[in-house]
C-alpha cells in the first residue's frame, strides 16, 4: 500500500511555507523541505527558510543538513526525503513536502533513479529542449522512437523520451507514494509584487551581510550559484551599484518563478489554487481531508 503524502509546490514567494505549516498543524503533520538551497547551514535569508519560530511550531526536515562547501543533488534529496517520510510515518504523522525545486520533488514522486553516470545538468537540458514541442510534435517523436505510451499525455511522453535518450541511468524505481499535489499560484502582477516585496524584506533582514560572507569565503561553491546570492556578487566586485544588484535580484527571482510555474504545469499532475481567492485555504484543507479519508 502506497503512503499518502501532501505536496505543496508553486513559485517562490507565493506562500508555500505558511500553508505547509497550517496543514501540518491541522492534520498532525511534519514538513519536509523540497528546496535545493535550504539545505545549507548559514544561508537563511537568501533561501527564505522558515523562521526559527515557524520551525519550532512544526517539525521541519531537510533544512540545514549541509555545509555551504558541500554539494547537494536530486539523488541526495530523494534518498534523504524517503528516510524523512518513513520516519514521520512511523510516528503516525503526515508527511508534507513543501518547496519549489521541481526536479527534486518530481524525482521523489515518480521514482526516478538519479544515481547513474549522467550529470543532472544534461537531464535538465534535455527536458528543457522538449518544452517548446506541442503535444502533437511530442507524439510524433514518441512514434519515431518506437515507444508505446498507454493513455498518452504530455508528461508521460516527455518521460518516455527521457528514458529512451539516457537509457539505464533513468530507469524508474518503485513508486512509493500516493501524493496530493497542491500548486499555489497568484495573478502575475500580484506574484511579482510579492517577489519584489520579499527581496526588500530580505535586505532589511541582513541579506547583504549573508551574501558578502559567502562571496568572501566560498564564492565558487554550489551554494553560491543560487538565486539570492550570485546576483549580488557584481556589487561586491565593484561592477554594479547596490541598486542595480537589487533590481537584478528581483528580476532573476521573477524569471525563476515563471520557470517554476512552467515546470509544474508541464511535468507534474497538480491541482492549482489561486492564493488570492476568497476561502482558498478552507478549500485546500477540505480537499486534503477528503484525500486522506478516501
Amino acid at each position: 500500500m502506497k503512503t499518502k503524502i501532501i505536496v505543496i509546490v508553486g513559485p517562490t514567494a507565493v506562500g508555500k511555507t505558511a500553508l505547509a505549516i497550517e496543514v501540518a498543524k491541522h492534520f498532525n503533520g511534519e514538513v519536509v523541505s523540497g528546496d535545493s538551497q535550504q539545505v545549507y547551514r548559514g544561508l537563511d535569508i537568501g533561501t527564505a527558510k522558515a523562521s526559527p519560530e515557524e520551525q519550532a511550531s512544526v517539525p521541519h526536515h531537510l533544512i540545514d543538513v549541509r555545509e555551504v562547501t558541500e554539494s547537494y543533488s536530486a539523488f541526495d534529496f530523494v534518498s534523504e526525503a524517503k528516510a524523512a517520510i518513513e520516519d514521520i510515518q512511523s510516528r503516525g504523522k503526515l508527511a508534507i513536502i513543501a518547496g519549489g525545486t521541481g526536479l527534486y520533488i518530481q524525482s521523489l514522486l515518480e521514482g526516478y533513479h538519479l544515481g547513474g553516470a549522467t550529470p543532472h545538468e544534461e537531464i535538465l537540458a534535455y527536458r528543457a529542449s522538449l518544452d517548446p514541442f506541442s503535444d502533437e510534435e511530442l507524439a510524433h517523436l514518441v512514434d519515431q522512437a518506437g515507444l508505446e505510451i498507454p493513455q498518452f499525455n504530455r508528461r508521460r511522453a516527455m518521460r518516455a523520451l527521457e528514458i529512451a535518450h539516457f537509457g539505464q541511468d533513468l530507469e524508474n524505481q518503485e513508486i512509493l507514494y500516493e501524493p496530493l499535489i497542491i500548486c499555489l499560484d497568484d495573478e502575475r502582477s500580484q506574484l511579482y509584487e510579492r517577489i519584489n516585496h520579499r527581496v526588500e524584506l530580505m535586505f532589511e533582514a541582513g541579506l547583504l551581510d549573508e551574501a558578502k560572507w559567502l562571496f568572501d569565503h566560498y564564492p565558487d561553491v554550489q551554494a553560491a550559484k543560487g538565486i539570492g546570492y550570485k546576483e549580488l556578487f557584481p556589487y561586491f566586485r565593484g561592477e554594479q551599484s547596490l541598486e542595480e544588484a537589487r533590481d537584478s535580484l528581483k528580476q532573476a527571482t521573477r524569471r525563476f518563478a515563471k520557470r517554476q510555474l512552467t515546470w509544474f504545469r508541464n511535468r507534474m499532475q497538480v491541482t492549482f489554487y489561486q492564493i488570492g481567492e476568497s476561502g482558498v485555504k478552507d478549500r485546500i484543507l477540505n480537499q486534503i481531508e477528503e484525500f486522506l479519508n478516501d
Side-chain angles (χ1 to χ4, degrees):
M1 184 176 178
K2 295 178 181 178
T3 301
K4 288 189 175 184
I5 61 174
I6 306 302
V7 181
I8 300 173
V9 298
T12 185
V14 79
K16 298 184 294 294
T17 297
L19 177 62
I21 291 172
E22 187 166 345
V23 170
K25 290 179 177 178
H26 196 90
F27 294 101
N28 188 30
E30 299 184 6
V31 178
V32 179
S33 171
D35 187 286
S36 63
Q37 289 291 102
Q38 293 183 0
V39 299
Y40 293 112
R41 301 183 188 99
L43 302 186
D44 302 331
I45 302 169
T47 63
K49 286 177 188 171
S51 68
E53 292 77 19
E54 288 172 324
Q55 292 189 47
S57 67
V58 166
H60 282 66
H61 303 261
L62 302 194
I63 292 178
D64 295 335
V65 294
R66 290 291 191 281
E67 301 295 341
V68 295
T69 53
E70 296 179 286
S71 62
Y72 196 72
S73 69
F75 179 75
D76 295 325
F77 170 76
V78 170
S79 300
E80 295 174 22
K82 282 181 179 178
I85 293 169
E86 184 176 348
D87 171 55
I88 293 167
Q89 184 190 31
S90 72
R91 291 182 280 106
K93 295 194 172 187
L94 175 67
I96 301 150
I97 315 296
T101 304
L103 172 63
Y104 285 17
I105 295 173
Q106 187 181 8
S107 299
L108 172 70
L109 299 182
E110 300 193 7
Y112 288 10
H113 173 64
L114 296 175
T118 303
H120 300 146
E121 292 78 10
E122 289 185 24
I123 299 170
L124 286 172
Y126 182 76
R127 290 177 185 174
S129 75
L130 296 176
D131 275 336
F133 290 102
S134 67
D135 289 358
E136 292 75 15
E137 290 168 329
L138 285 175
H140 181 64
L141 291 175
V142 168
D143 288 339
Q144 281 186 321
L147 304 173
E148 294 184 5
I149 303 176
Q151 298 180 328
F152 178 94
N153 64 37
R154 183 178 185 85
R155 184 176 62 87
R156 287 176 178 172
M158 294 175 76
R159 177 62 182 153
L161 289 167
E162 289 168 10
I163 293 173
H165 184 81
F166 291 104
Q168 297 302 310
D169 283 341
L170 284 181
E171 277 192 345
N172 279 3
Q173 297 175 335
E174 179 186 2
I175 297 175
L176 302 174
Y177 309 112
E178 180 184 350
L180 172 62
I181 311 176
I182 294 164
C183 185
L184 300 182
D185 195 5
D186 203 352
E187 195 275 325
R188 187 58 55 89
S189 64
Q190 292 297 316
L191 178 60
Y192 286 175
E193 186 176 323
R194 283 172 174 268
I195 289 170
N196 292 339
H197 181 59
R198 172 182 274 188
V199 170
E200 292 297 335
L201 291 178
M202 285 178 170
F203 273 93
E204 292 176 12
L207 174 61
L208 204 60
D209 291 337
E210 191 173 271
K212 185 62 163 60
W213 171 81
L214 192 60
F215 175 80
D216 287 341
H217 296 91
Y218 309 105
D220 299 317
V221 299
Q222 178 181 330
K225 296 177 174 60
I227 293 175
Y229 301 103
K230 60 185 174 62
E231 292 79 13
L232 300 179
F233 285 11
Y235 166 68
F236 299 139
R237 292 193 294 263
E239 300 168 359
Q240 286 185 346
S241 68
L242 180 57
E243 195 59 35
E244 287 173 329
R246 188 192 305 255
D247 288 343
S248 176
L249 174 53
K250 291 178 180 178
Q251 183 182 60
T253 309
R254 293 193 299 267
R255 288 175 175 171
F256 177 56
K258 186 176 180 180
R259 293 196 302 273
Q260 287 175 300
L261 282 168
T262 298
W263 184 289
F264 296 129
R265 286 193 187 100
N266 292 344
R267 304 181 188 280
M268 298 174 65
Q269 295 179 324
V270 306
T271 302
F272 278 95
Y273 284 94
Q274 295 294 314
I275 198 67
E277 291 182 357
S278 176
V280 66
K281 289 186 179 179
D282 287 337
R283 294 203 304 276
I284 291 172
L285 294 176
N286 288 337
Q287 184 186 12
I288 292 173
E289 187 163 6
E290 290 176 5
F291 168 75
L292 296 175
N293 291 333
D294 184 10

